[in-house]
């Protein structure tokens, strides 16, 4: 390899082709990380996918240590080290995943078995190397081209930005495993580019390197590798049944949909169906999302009578209270059961809103004949949109807004959604639904019965809070609540409930063996008669939540049932710390079912990230960096740590607040992540490019100015957001994306400056600390990504943003603070 | 070329130690008897914890005796035999599990099986639950949906001498009309609805138990009771002692 071995001049700028290579690696590494989350959602479960975040940390941290240790050697061999690491990233990204999915890890046994923890650690170790290689490439470039830090950082950020957007587009086009192959290929292409950029010899070898981009593809083809979901997922279990076959598969960033037919042992998926139903359930197709979360498509011959079973579930209640021919909005239409239910009850018009266009295609295109063209029915209009965004933009009013059982019981009971922002069940959401009801109209929300009750009670508490806040009259006059053995339905009426409503409810429950849990004037002797619980938990909760003791009840309830709000949109977060002790004490009798695992896993991920950070950043600091005699050097180390940690955390917190804010605006978490992340990274890249022109001795002043601007711009946004959202939420998606990017541009521009300015300043004063600062920043970002969710759950998005801005303030102060020795800043 | 980060080295060594400690080991037969006794003691202790929820502080001694006889280690794979009597659920392959002993005991107790009874089981799995029922009832019919599991369980039950158990592969929804009515029905494969044919095949005065929840952790049990007059009611039992509120009222 040509030019290795000679000491390079480090004050030259990096060649443009090498910067392109850095961009590509950065993009591919980000795509790899997001794909790991997607792939692990399919083969494992969503919340374990979340833990993948800390893998990047492990890789970056290890790289920082490695670069610090072998700095001299690697810089002498920069060109070959860069190419080698890029190529290894490309080769390992696919290979490591294929290897990792062969580890027989069973997440469900984690609470019982030490062996599963060993498996989990093994998966971690297997998946880390690609991040390590990618981080080596980027870290080495920072060190090699001292004068080009700003440009390298710009290439790094804009690459990641393109990756964030690219992975979402890619997933619309190819299946996740193929996307992984493409990401690997990009890594190898980056190696080829670097070979040319760094004029390595023999030149012809670049042809071999370019040809190697096909290796990941060949690896997958030859090994016949495919995704291997764990055997406990519903899809895996269903496919074991004699005669069950998968007849269609669709993939998009929203999930992998698998359609299954099971002629020998038919699906009979009608959650909450009464034992008294006289009408048989028709043939069904099962639709699984990411191998779980069954939703059914019913065979429909177009006759009304065959749909009679849909009148025997709790969600049918509102049709017995409404006048004929109601106008209905179904949120979360899925396979179409609630739409059929509305058709059965003679709805005049039905707006069916479904988030996943693939799901609509399954019902209205792939299996349209089977489904009796339900989505093409004259009274039905289908909208591929997110529920909250649809309602926000709609000017229509309805007799009934029906929120279907969107999540599967298994995923719900595993606590998978605890960490998801869900704007569907917040106080503001309920307020928006009520505002779209006609006089005498109903909002109906159906949830699984979970025991001990949590979702159901939290929903009731949210409804009470919404009514109390809105001043729409006494909450106790507006609510009705019934339950079967499997599901419960809560009705909120937009005027006072009448005696005839109550009579109809009682008749409905009598005929179906459901139990009333609440209606105005209900008495204790009328509850808990058919589906008997040891105590009438539902009735007691309703009574307490409607009494002046509401706050104290919420406080003392075993689960977290404080209503979710748009500021803290975590409806599925039920965990309270005392549960942990109780669950383990009762482990022997099945007590672990008290736990919703999402939040504990989040905390575990945070602890694990923090521990790895300490081991990989602080330990190398103590051990590896040469100690100088004076306290100044030590003081400098603390300041460097404080500065780079603050801007790392500040950047990530700000980014996450904006992602969460724009979920509602853009209609889906995924679009929010892609657009906001891409916007932040690209505009921050431009900011850092601008910063590259600033001389090191002016850095402090510019850092201070950037911090000031970040705080000012954010503060202005907090004030104008509500108005802006109201004015523009109904606009077409492309315009909304442009609005979001225009808002992010100035903010991100300034946020891109503190890192390269600080680094350039450091390079001129204490060069040894540069890789360490790079490592601190990387680790801070990853720890912050997890910590941001914890804080958003605990204190809400507003205070998360305030924290982020304070950190920028702190960084600005640290940079300009004049020290005892007279030196300014870092 | 690159020095291996010390953390990775450390983790690898920890991993090696963990894996070594977990490798299977064989246990002499009489030790299994001792482990079974310990398991019964543990079930007794757990019962006292949840007495307020299930309404009694002791399970039927006949159920405990039955579980004291059935060799649970025979129902799991070789490598899990060492922990067969630990009060935890175990995987049996094909995405199925064998419930934790306390839950088996509780469900069996709730069925109130008498010596002359005929019992139907939906979801044979390993065959362990059927074996426990066979110790208590005259006849047990068991239906499994996964053909491979039926085969394994049938051979196993035959080898262990459980002639009272008859198995078949099929759709449990329709029950087993040829042998109906049943005094008790246990549905270990959680359905999304309570199959009406099963309710019909239940004798007046009969009971049906259905665990609802995940594979390794039932969240609650649904007890369906058919009165002597034929009316049906359900009870939902949380198998843990649960006080909805913390602190003082």
């Amino acid at each position: 390899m040509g030019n290795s071995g000679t000491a390079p001049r480090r004050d030259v700028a990096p060649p443009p082709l090498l910067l392109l290579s850095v961009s590509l690696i950065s993009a591919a590494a980000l795509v790899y990380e997001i794909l790991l989350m997607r792939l692990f959602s399919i083969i494992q479960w969503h919340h374990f996918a979340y833990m993948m975040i800390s893998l990047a940390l492990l890789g970056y941290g290890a790289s920082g240590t490695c670069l610090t240790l072998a700095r001299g050697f690697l810089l002498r061999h920069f060109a070959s080290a860069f190419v080698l690491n890029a190529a290894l990233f490309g080769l390992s990204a696919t290979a490591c995943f294929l290897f990792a999915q062969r580890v027989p890890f069973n997440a469900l046994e984690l609470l019982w078995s030490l062996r599963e923890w060993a498996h989990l650690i093994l998966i971690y170790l297997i998946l880390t190397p690609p991040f390590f290689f990618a981080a080596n490439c980027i870290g080495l470039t920072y060190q090699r081209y001292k004068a080009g830090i700003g440009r390298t950082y710009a290439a790094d950020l804009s690459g990641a930005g393109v990756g964030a957007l690219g992975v979402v587009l890619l997933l619309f086009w190819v299946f996740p495993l193929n996307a992984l192959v493409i990401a690997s290929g990009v890594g190898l292409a980056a190696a080829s580019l670097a070979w040319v950029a760094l004029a390595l010899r023999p030149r012809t070898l670049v042809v071999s390197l370019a040809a190697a981009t096909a290796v990941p593809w060949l690896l997958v083809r030859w090994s016949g590798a495919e995704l291997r979901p764990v055997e406990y997922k519903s899809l895996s279990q269903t496919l074991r049944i004699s005669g069950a076959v998968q007849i269609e598969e669709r993939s998009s960033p929203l999930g992998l949909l698998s359609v299954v037919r099971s002629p020998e042992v038919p699906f009979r998926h009608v959650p909450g169906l009464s034992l008294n139903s006289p009408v048989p359930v028709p043939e069904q197709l099962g639709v699984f999302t990411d191998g779980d979360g069954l939703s059914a498509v019913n065979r429909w011959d177009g006759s009304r009578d065959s749909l009679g079973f849909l009148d025997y579930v709790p969600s049918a209640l509102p049709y017995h209270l409404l006048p004929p021919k109601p106008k209905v909005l179904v949120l979360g239409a899925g396979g179409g059961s609630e739409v059929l239910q509305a058709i059965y009850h003679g709805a005049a018009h039905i707006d069916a809103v479904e988030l996943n266009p693939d799901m609509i295609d399954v019902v209205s295109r792939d299996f349209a004949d089977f489904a009796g063209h339900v989505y093409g029915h004259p009274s039905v209009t289908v909208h591929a949109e997110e529920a909250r965004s649809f309602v926000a933009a709609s000017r229509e009013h309805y007799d009934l807004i029906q929120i279907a059982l969107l999540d599967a019981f298994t995923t719900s009971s595993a606590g998978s959604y605890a960490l998801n922002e869900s704007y569907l069940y917040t106080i503001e959401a309920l307020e928006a639904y009520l505002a779209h009801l006609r006089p005498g109209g109903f909002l109906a929300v159906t949830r699984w019965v979970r025991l001990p009750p949590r979702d159901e009670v939290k929903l009731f508490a949210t409804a009470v809070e919404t009514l109390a806040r809105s001043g729409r009259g006494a909450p106790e006059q507006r609510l009705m609540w019934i339950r079967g053995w499997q599901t419960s339905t809560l009705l909120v009426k937009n005027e006072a409930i009448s005696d005839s409503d109550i009579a109809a409810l009682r008749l409905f429950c009598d005929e179906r063996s459901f139990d009333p849990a609440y209606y105005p004037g209900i008495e204790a002797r009328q509850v808990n008669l058919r589906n008997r619980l040891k105590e009438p938990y539902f009735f007691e909760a309703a009574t307490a939540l409607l009494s002046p003791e509401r706050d104290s009840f919420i406080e003392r309830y075993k689960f977290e049932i404080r209503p979710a709000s748009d500021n803290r949109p975590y409806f599925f977060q039920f965990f309270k710390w005392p549960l942990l002790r109780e669950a383990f004490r009762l482990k022997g009798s099945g007590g672990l079912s008290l736990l919703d695992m999402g939040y504990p896993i989040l905390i575990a991920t945070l602890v694990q990230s923090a521990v790895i950070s300490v081991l990989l950043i602080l330990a190398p600091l103590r051990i590896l960096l040469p100690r100088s005699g004076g306290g100044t050097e030590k003081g400098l180390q603390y300041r460097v740590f404080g500065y780079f940690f603050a801007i790392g955390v500040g950047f990530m917190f700000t980014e996450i607040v904006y992602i969460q804010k724009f979920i509602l605006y853009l209609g889906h978490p995924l679009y929010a992540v892609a657009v906001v992340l891409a916007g932040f990274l690209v505009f921050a890249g431009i900011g850092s490019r601008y910063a590259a022109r600033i001389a090191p001795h002016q850095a402090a002043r510019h850092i201070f100015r950037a911090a000031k601007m970040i705080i000012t711009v954010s503060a202005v946004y907090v004030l104008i957001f509500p108005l802006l959202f109201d004015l523009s939420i109904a606009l077409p998606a492309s315009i909304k994306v442009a609005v979001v990017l225009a808002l992010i541009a100035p903010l991100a521009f300034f946020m891109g400056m503190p890192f390269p300015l600080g680094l350039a300043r450091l390079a001129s004063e204490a060069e040894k600390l540069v890789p360490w600062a790079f490592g601190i920043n990387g680790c801070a970002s990853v720890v912050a990504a997890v910590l941001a969710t914890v804080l958003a759950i605990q204190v809400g998005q507003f205070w998360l943003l305030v924290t982020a801005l304070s950190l920028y303030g702190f960084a600005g102060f640290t940079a300009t603070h004049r020290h005892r020795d007279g030196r300014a800043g870092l | 070329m690159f020095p291996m980060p010390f953390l990775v080295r450390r983790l690898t060594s920890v991993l090696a130690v963990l894996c070594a400690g977990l490798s299977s080991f064989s246990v002499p037969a009489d030790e299994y008897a001792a482990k079974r006794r310990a398991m019964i003691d543990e079930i007794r202790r757990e019962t006292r914890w949840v007495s307020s929820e299930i309404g009694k502080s002791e399970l039927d001694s006949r159920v405990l005796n039955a579980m004291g006889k059935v060799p649970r280690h025979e129902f799991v794979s070789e490598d899990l035999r060492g922990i067969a009597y630990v009060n935890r659920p175990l995987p049996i392959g094909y995405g199925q599990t064998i419930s934790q002993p306390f839950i088996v005991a509780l469900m069996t107790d709730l069925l109130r099986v008498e010596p002359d009874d005929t019992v139907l089981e939906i979801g044979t799995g390993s065959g362990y639950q059927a074996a426990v029922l066979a110790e208590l009832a005259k006849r047990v019919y068991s239906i499994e949906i996964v053909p491979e599991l039926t085969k394994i369980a049938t051979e196993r039950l035959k080898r262990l001498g459980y002639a009272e158990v008859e198995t078949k592969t099929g759709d449990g929804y329709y029950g087993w009309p040829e042998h109906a009515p049943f005094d008790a029905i246990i549905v270990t494969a959680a359905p999304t609805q309570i199959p009406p044919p099963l309710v019909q095949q239940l004798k007046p005065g009969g009971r049906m138990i259905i665990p609802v929840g995940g594979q390794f952790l039932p969240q609650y049990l649904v007890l369906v009771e058919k009165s002597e007059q034929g009316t049906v009611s359900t009870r939902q039992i949380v198998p843990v002692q649960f006080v909805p509120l913390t602190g003082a009222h």
Side-chain angles (χ1 to χ4, degrees):
Chain A
M1 290 188 185
N3 67 355
S4 53
T6 49
R9 281 183 57 216
R10 296 179 51 218
D11 51 354
V12 293
L17 264 188
L18 184 71
L19 289 178
L20 180 60
S21 178
V22 166
S23 283
L24 286 180
I25 289 170
S26 196
L30 198 116
V31 170
Y32 174 63
E33 185 176 349
I34 293 180
L35 281 178
L36 282 185
M37 296 176 80
R38 190 83 274 287
L39 289 162
F40 271 79
S41 294
I42 296 170
I43 63 170
Q44 291 283 338
W45 279 278
H46 177 89
H47 45 325
F48 288 95
Y50 197 81
M51 296 181 87
M52 298 299 138
I53 289 176
S54 24
L55 279 174
L57 171 71
L58 193 60
Y60 292 153
S63 162
T65 308
C66 168
L67 294 187
T68 313
L69 271 175
R71 182 161 163 270
F73 175 81
L74 289 172
L75 280 180
R76 276 198 304 282
H77 301 272
F78 170 77
S80 11
F82 187 98
V83 172
L84 184 67
N85 275 291
L88 284 173
F89 166 77
L91 292 172
S92 62
T94 300
C96 288
F97 173 75
L98 292 180
F99 187 39
Q101 77 159 348
R102 294 197 164 261
V103 176
F105 169 59
N106 178 14
L108 299 175
E109 272 188 278
L110 269 178
L111 292 168
W112 311 95
S113 161
L114 218 52
R115 185 166 58 176
E116 298 313 320
W117 288 100
H119 283 149
L120 187 61
I121 293 170
L122 193 60
I123 289 180
Y124 260 63
L125 295 181
I126 294 170
L127 291 174
T128 305
F131 292 112
F132 172 77
F133 297 130
N136 279 350
C137 288
I138 295 161
L140 270 172
T141 311
Y142 279 116
Q143 292 193 47
R144 165 70 181 77
Y145 299 99
K146 213 175 102 181
I149 283 176
R151 262 172 277 188
T152 307
Y153 187 60
D156 181 9
L157 283 184
S158 47
V162 170
L165 208 55
V167 67
V168 173
L169 297 175
L170 195 61
L171 282 170
F172 274 115
W173 180 49
V174 297
F175 278 77
L177 194 56
N178 295 335
L180 184 62
V181 168
I182 292 172
S184 285
V186 170
L188 286 157
S192 319
L193 268 181
W195 188 275
V196 175
L198 298 166
L200 281 165
R201 289 174 196 285
R203 283 206 178 147
T204 42
L205 198 74
V206 75
V207 180
S208 323
L209 265 177
T213 52
V215 169
W217 181 74
L218 293 173
L219 185 73
V220 169
R221 283 301 291 263
W222 279 341
S223 65
E226 51 183 26
L227 292 185
R228 300 147 63 105
V230 292
E231 57 184 0
Y232 298 99
K233 296 197 91 164
S234 328
L235 176 62
S236 313
Q237 291 182 328
T238 304
L239 290 175
R240 289 220 176 266
I241 296 169
S242 173
V245 279
Q246 185 171 311
I247 51 177
E248 173 68 6
E249 193 174 44
R250 281 171 164 268
S251 173
S252 82
L254 299 178
L256 178 70
L257 286 193
S258 316
V259 185
V260 176
R261 187 172 58 207
S262 180
E264 290 175 35
V265 181
F267 290 108
R268 301 179 186 94
H269 185 71
V270 190
L273 185 66
S274 159
L275 263 173
N276 308 353
S277 170
V279 185
V281 177
E283 185 188 348
Q284 294 180 327
L285 295 175
V287 185
F288 297 85
T289 304
D290 288 344
D292 225 329
L294 173 63
S295 167
V297 178
N298 297 285
R299 182 186 280 286
W300 186 37
D301 56 12
S303 78
R304 184 178 170 275
D305 291 348
S306 65
L307 300 176
F309 66 101
L310 292 169
D311 191 31
Y312 278 77
V313 289
S315 62
L317 172 62
Y319 294 103
H320 293 252
L321 313 178
L322 285 167
K325 299 197 176 175
K327 184 175 174 185
V328 180
L329 170 63
V330 175
L331 298 178
S337 290
E338 280 74 18
V339 176
L340 288 172
Q341 186 187 50
I343 292 174
Y344 174 81
H345 288 100
H349 183 78
I350 304 150
D351 278 316
V353 179
E354 166 57 39
L355 177 65
N356 191 344
D358 276 344
M359 181 63 104
I360 297 176
D361 278 351
V362 163
V363 180
S364 64
R365 289 233 303 263
D366 303 349
F367 302 99
D369 287 341
F370 183 95
H373 298 269
V374 52
Y375 283 171
H377 192 269
S379 65
V380 178
T381 311
V382 184
H383 309 265
E385 269 183 76
E386 194 273 333
R388 247 326 263 293
S389 306
F390 177 86
V391 172
S394 166
R395 307 222 176 280
E396 300 289 314
H397 286 78
Y398 300 90
D399 296 300
L400 170 62
I401 297 179
Q402 176 87 263
I403 301 185
L405 206 51
L406 296 159
D407 48 324
F409 183 81
T410 45
T411 39
S412 171
S413 67
S416 304
Y417 292 120
L419 311 178
N420 277 19
E421 292 78 34
S422 167
Y423 289 94
L424 194 63
Y425 301 110
T426 62
I427 294 169
E428 292 85 352
L430 262 55
E431 173 62 32
Y433 306 143
L434 293 178
H436 282 80
L437 288 179
R438 287 174 171 173
F442 285 94
L443 165 69
V445 191
T446 298
R447 296 292 317 153
W448 295 100
V449 165
R450 298 184 63 204
L451 295 172
R454 50 206 101 162
D455 332 19
E456 316 92 308
V457 177
K458 190 164 184 167
L459 181 67
F460 194 91
T462 312
V464 172
E465 180 74 30
T466 308
L467 289 168
R469 272 197 204 179
S470 70
R472 287 169 183 272
E476 62 272 19
Q477 295 301 322
R478 305 297 179 92
L479 295 163
M480 301 173 109
W481 200 17
I482 62 165
R483 63 181 178 92
W485 73 278
Q486 200 178 28
T487 64
S488 70
T489 298
L490 173 68
L491 297 190
V492 188
K493 194 175 184 182
N494 76 342
E495 54 189 42
I497 284 159
S498 66
D499 288 344
S500 65
D501 289 336
I502 293 170
L505 175 144
R506 292 179 63 171
L507 181 65
F508 180 85
C509 286
D510 284 345
E511 288 172 351
R512 291 160 184 75
S513 296
F514 296 150
D515 282 284
Y518 180 79
Y519 53 78
I522 194 169
E523 290 170 31
R525 61 183 172 81
Q526 290 161 322
V527 301
N528 206 22
L529 298 174
R530 303 182 184 97
N531 304 283
R532 279 172 300 144
L533 294 162
K534 191 181 141 263
E535 303 286 337
Y537 296 131
F538 289 74
F539 168 72
E540 286 173 355
T543 314
L545 287 168
L546 286 165
S547 76
E549 284 176 35
R550 187 198 328 162
D551 292 340
S552 129
F553 179 79
I554 290 173
E555 190 64 33
R556 286 184 294 120
Y557 202 72
K558 194 173 287 277
F559 298 94
E560 176 60 84
I561 55 161
R562 206 162 28 135
S565 66
D566 280 359
N567 186 40
R568 284 175 54 249
Y570 297 95
F571 178 79
F572 296 100
Q573 200 316 88
F574 308 110
F575 181 79
K576 278 185 178 174
W577 283 103
L579 276 169
L580 200 60
R581 219 177 96 230
E582 179 162 4
F584 277 93
R585 196 176 47 124
L586 299 173
K587 188 175 168 185
S589 63
L592 292 174
S593 69
L594 290 172
L595 286 183
D596 292 286
M597 286 313 293
Y599 194 71
I601 282 177
L602 176 69
I603 298 296
T605 309
L606 181 64
V607 169
Q608 161 195 301
S609 313
V611 167
I612 296 172
S613 297
V614 167
L615 286 175
L616 294 177
I617 308 174
L618 296 182
L621 162 75
R622 280 264 162 268
I623 300 160
L624 304 172
L625 288 173
R627 304 214 181 165
S628 61
T632 318
E633 187 79 6
K634 202 165 188 181
L636 179 67
Q637 288 181 8
Y638 284 127
R639 285 198 301 281
V640 168
F641 179 85
Y643 178 80
F644 285 95
F645 192 80
I647 59 172
V649 174
F651 193 103
M652 192 50 78
F653 277 12
T654 311
E655 198 174 67
I656 286 178
V657 168
Y658 281 86
I659 288 173
Q660 294 194 353
K661 278 274 166 251
F662 287 125
I663 287 175
L664 199 53
Y665 186 69
L666 292 175
H668 192 271
L670 200 78
Y671 306 145
V673 168
V675 173
V676 174
L677 212 56
F680 264 102
L681 293 169
V682 170
F683 290 113
I686 295 172
S688 65
R689 187 89 199 187
Y690 172 79
R693 297 198 211 133
I694 296 164
H697 70 275
Q698 290 182 318
R701 199 160 53 84
H702 281 88
I703 290 170
F704 186 76
R705 205 185 60 166
K708 208 167 68 183
M709 289 307 292
I710 293 164
I711 295 169
T712 314
V713 173
S714 275
V716 171
Y717 285 178
V718 169
L719 296 175
I720 63 164
F721 267 174
L723 183 66
L724 190 77
F725 276 21
D726 282 348
L727 288 178
S728 63
I729 194 138
L731 295 174
S734 52
I735 297 181
K736 287 201 282 187
V737 169
V739 169
V740 171
L741 291 177
L743 286 169
I744 290 173
L747 186 62
F749 178 80
F750 291 110
M751 283 167 62
M753 295 170 66
F755 182 72
L757 286 175
L759 218 52
R761 180 74 192 267
L762 191 62
S764 71
E765 286 186 7
E767 205 195 332
K768 295 185 299 281
L769 294 178
V770 168
W772 187 59
F774 173 64
I776 293 168
N777 191 258
C779 290
S781 318
V782 182
V783 173
V786 188
L787 187 60
T789 311
V790 176
L791 287 179
I793 288 174
Q794 292 302 335
V795 299
Q797 292 162 1
F798 177 76
W799 289 107
L800 184 60
L801 183 63
V802 170
T803 312
L805 298 181
S806 313
L807 285 166
Y808 273 112
F810 169 78
F813 173 76
T814 312
T816 48
H817 181 63
R818 204 157 271 283
H819 304 293
R820 270 170 304 184
D821 58 4
R823 285 191 315 159
L826 294 163
Chain B
M1 184 172 175
F2 300 104
M4 196 181 188
F6 70 96
L7 180 76
V8 176
R9 261 197 327 254
R10 276 298 288 276
L11 286 175
T12 318
S13 58
V14 168
L15 196 69
V17 172
L18 275 177
C19 291
L22 288 161
S23 59
S24 61
F25 50 92
S26 58
V27 180
D30 53 341
E31 269 190 42
Y32 283 126
K35 287 184 170 208
R36 252 193 316 274
R37 280 195 297 278
M39 176 185 83
I40 302 297
D41 289 342
E42 163 118 27
I43 294 172
R44 285 209 170 93
R45 273 197 305 279
E46 294 297 339
T47 311
R48 282 194 287 276
W49 275 112
V50 297
S51 55
S52 72
E53 185 60 39
I54 60 175
K56 53 180 164 184
S57 57
E58 274 180 33
L59 298 182
D60 188 342
S61 60
R62 293 181 310 125
V63 171
L64 296 180
N65 286 340
M67 288 186 63
K69 286 186 207 158
V70 179
R72 186 169 156 101
H73 63 278
E74 294 279 0
F75 292 82
V76 296
S77 59
E78 197 85 32
D79 59 325
L80 294 176
R81 286 191 173 177
I83 53 169
Y85 293 96
V86 177
N87 186 24
R88 57 156 287 184
L90 291 168
I92 57 165
Y94 304 97
Q96 303 295 318
T97 53
I98 177 168
S99 298
Q100 73 187 96
F102 173 78
I103 299 290
V104 174
L106 178 60
M107 293 197 297
T108 313
D109 177 90
L110 287 166
L111 284 177
R112 290 191 201 147
V113 178
E114 297 292 332
D116 277 338
D117 282 358
T118 306
V119 183
L120 174 67
E121 182 190 32
I122 310 297
T124 314
S126 67
Y128 178 69
Q129 176 74 62
V132 173
L133 289 166
E135 295 281 352
L136 296 162
K138 191 166 87 186
R139 198 92 184 106
V140 179
Y141 297 93
S142 184
I143 306 174
E144 170 58 50
I145 206 165
V146 180
E148 294 91 334
L149 279 174
T150 317
K151 189 162 170 282
I152 297 168
T154 308
E155 283 166 9
R156 178 182 285 146
L157 288 164
K158 194 174 157 199
R159 176 168 55 83
L160 296 172
Y162 287 104
E164 309 87 339
V165 185
E166 191 177 330
T167 54
K168 72 168 183 181
T169 301
D171 182 0
Y173 181 86
Y174 299 104
W176 203 326
E178 295 86 343
H179 302 294
F182 301 100
D183 299 280
I185 300 177
I186 180 164
V187 186
T188 55
T192 49
Q193 54 168 292
I194 300 172
L198 294 187
V199 180
Q200 281 155 22
Q201 289 172 30
L202 201 56
K203 273 184 196 167
R207 313 178 119 217
M208 170 156 69
I209 190 94
I210 305 170
V212 177
Q215 272 290 325
F216 282 78
L217 280 177
Q219 200 180 84
Y220 58 92
L221 308 173
V222 177
L223 180 67
V224 180
E225 292 168 294
K226 196 169 186 177
S227 71
E228 294 296 343
Q229 294 74 41
T231 55
V232 174
S233 67
T234 64
R235 256 172 67 192
Q236 284 152 308
I237 296 150
V238 188
V240 293
Q241 182 182 36
F242 168 67
V243 188
L245 298 173
T246 55
H249 279 258

